[in-house]
Each structure stands twice: as C-alpha cells, then as structure tokens.
Amino acid sequence: PTARTDTQMAEAPPEWQAGVTIAIVATSFVLMAAEVAPPDMIMIGALIAFLPLGILTSQQAAAGFSQRGLLTVMVLFAVTTGLERTGAFDTVRKLVIPSKGARSTAVHELLARFVIPVTVLSAFLNNTPVVALMIPTVTDLANKAGVPSSKLLIPLSYASIIGGTCTLIGTSTNLVLTAMAERAVFERTGESFDFGFFEIGRVGLPVALVCMLFIFVSAGGR
C-alpha cells in the first residue's frame, strides 16, 4: 500500500470522530421516531453537539443555512402559504372534490381528480408543501366516495414526487444537488456550472408520464 504523507496524516480527522458522528446521527433518528421533540429541534441539537467535540467548526455548522437550495425552499414554502391564505387553492379543491359524494366512484376516477393537478403543482411549487396542503382535500374526497383514504394518500405522495422531478425547484433534493455540483465544478475547473430550470425535465417528464400511467393502471377499477 502507498504510504501516507505527513500532510495527509495531519489533515486526517481522529478515528473516534467517525464513531461519534454515527452515534449522534443514529440517536437523532431514534429521537425523531419516538417523537421526543419536533424534528427540526432534534436536528439542530445534533448539529450543535458536533461543535464542542470539534467535529465541525462554527463556519461549517452554519454553512448549510446559507445554501441557495435551502433559501429557495424557504421562499417556496412562503409562496405556497400565501396561495393557501389568499384562496388560490380553492379552485384546485373544487376540481378535486365533487359537489356530491358518490360512494360508487371507482378509485381510478378519484385518482384522475388530483394526480395530474398535484403533479403539475409539485413541479413549480415544491412537492413538500403541496402534499401538506392537499392531504385534507384528498382525505375529504376519500370520505365522500366511501373508500379508504390510504388508497388515495399513497398515490398523492407518488404524484408529488414525480412532479418534483420535472423542474429544478420541484424538490429540495434537486436544489441541494445542483448547488453541490456548482461548487464542485468551480473548485475543480474554475468554471461555472449552469443547470437550466427545465433541463431535468428531459428525463423527469417522460418518467412522470410513465409513473402516472402506472398509478392509474395499478389502481384498477375498484
């Protein structure tokens, strides 16, 4: 094996840090699963725990809060809340929920009411807040049609996910990975990394169409 240089050994973190990091992350997941505290408080607490141990510097700990991806998601949450409070989502709700409940309505007909709108909205408003806003509406739709809400809520989640793959802001994952790619390309080549708003849609849109077809087919006629 190739011998490590003095510089590499000096820069390498102590081996105990890996074990402590795994322990803190695992503990965070257990606390969130047990609902001991809100997830955001648990994750911030875990982040703070790294500071006195020297695993992270204060600059590294705060770096994530200044990422463009995180700031974009925060803005999208504000935009979605504004649309909700101004009644802009009422039109979508009227399309989803029929004026009269029909207990004999087939599941695939119920899916047709919200899968396409949710997929489109998720592409432009970020999928997480869209799902949060649509859960009560879809639950009401299931109750009026007399079907288990699980038959509609799971497709709701899938519709938001596939919608998020169509644009750059569709899901926070796209934003985070794009920011990481931009930084990596700039550090290695000194050049900018340009990723268009709809560029991911070249793959995402065909995948979304196939997934929507699968949702309708797998739902059957019951």
Side-chain angles (χ1 to χ4, degrees):
T2 304
R4 299 175 64 186
T5 64
D6 293 339
T7 302
Q8 289 175 325
M9 295 183 65
E11 292 178 353
E15 294 182 358
W16 63 266
Q17 291 188 358
V20 172
T21 300
I22 294 174
I24 292 176
V25 173
T27 302
S28 300
F29 280 115
V30 172
L31 293 176
M32 286 189 289
E35 298 183 350
V36 175
D40 54 338
M41 299 302 296
I42 294 174
M43 297 308 295
I44 291 176
L47 180 63
I48 294 174
F50 287 119
L51 295 176
L53 296 173
I55 297 176
L56 291 178
T57 65
S58 57
Q59 183 178 3
Q60 291 172 329
F65 295 100
S66 62
Q67 284 191 356
R68 187 177 64 182
L70 175 62
L71 297 175
T72 303
V73 173
M74 292 172 60
V75 171
L76 290 173
F77 268 98
V79 170
T80 306
T81 302
L83 293 174
E84 165 68 11
R85 294 187 177 183
T86 57
F89 271 109
D90 291 344
T91 302
V92 178
R93 289 195 178 97
K94 291 178 181 178
L95 292 174
V96 172
I97 300 180
S99 57
K100 296 182 179 179
R103 300 187 66 84
S104 61
T105 302
V107 173
H108 69 270
E109 294 178 1
L110 297 175
L111 293 176
R113 291 182 173 274
F114 68 86
V115 167
I116 296 176
V118 167
T119 300
V120 174
L121 288 174
S122 297
F124 297 96
L125 293 178
N126 194 270
N127 54 4
T128 303
V130 170
V131 170
L133 289 173
M134 291 299 296
I135 285 177
T137 301
V138 173
T139 301
D140 290 344
L141 176 64
N143 293 336
K144 286 189 175 184
V147 300
S149 58
S150 60
K151 287 183 176 290
L152 303 184
L153 291 177
I154 294 178
L156 169 65
S157 176
Y158 291 163
S160 68
I161 292 173
I162 61 179
T165 64
C166 295
T167 65
L168 180 61
I169 65 172
T171 180
S172 55
T173 306
N174 297 347
L175 295 167
V176 172
L177 291 178
T178 301
M180 293 176 63
E182 289 177 349
R183 183 172 63 253
V185 171
F186 182 77
E187 289 177 353
R188 292 187 179 185
T189 66
E191 299 178 356
S192 61
F193 176 80
D194 297 324
F195 198 82
F197 186 84
F198 292 104
E199 192 162 352
I200 193 174
R202 291 191 227 173
V203 176
L205 183 57
V207 170
L209 294 175
V210 172
C211 290
M212 279 194 291
L213 179 61
F214 174 77
I215 290 174
F216 287 118
V217 172
S218 62
R222 295 176 296 153

